[in-house]
Amino acid sequence: GLGSSAIKARATAAGRGSIVLMHDGGGNRSSTVAALPSIISELKRRGFELVTVTRLLGNRMVWRP
């Protein structure tokens, strides 16, 4: 898998209107967990607002089987 610095580089390449989606399952995610504090700090420093998908959708839960 990717190391934490590569994960941070991809996540912080976000621009206006970007959605950064990260998963927490499917194997060892220690590099992702290690990268999160610096990803969050960098995106907040650049003025991004971190929200849930539900909030992004206007507080509507959309689910279809």
Side-chain angles (χ1 to χ4, degrees):
L2 295 174
S4 61
S5 61
I7 293 168
K8 179 185 179 188
R10 287 188 181 185
T12 57
R16 186 177 189 89
S18 292
I19 297 172
V20 178
L21 176 64
M22 302 178 86
H23 296 278
D24 66 353
N28 182 347
R29 297 289 183 227
S30 60
S31 294
T32 302
V33 172
L36 277 174
S38 61
I39 291 169
I40 292 168
S41 293
E42 174 66 16
L43 292 176
K44 283 185 172 182
R45 184 189 70 72
R46 290 174 43 201
F48 282 81
E49 180 181 5
L50 282 62
V51 300
T52 63
V53 173
T54 301
R55 180 159 172 220
L56 187 65
L57 295 173
N59 294 316
R60 293 176 292 118
M61 180 55 108
V62 178
W63 181 82
R64 294 182 182 98

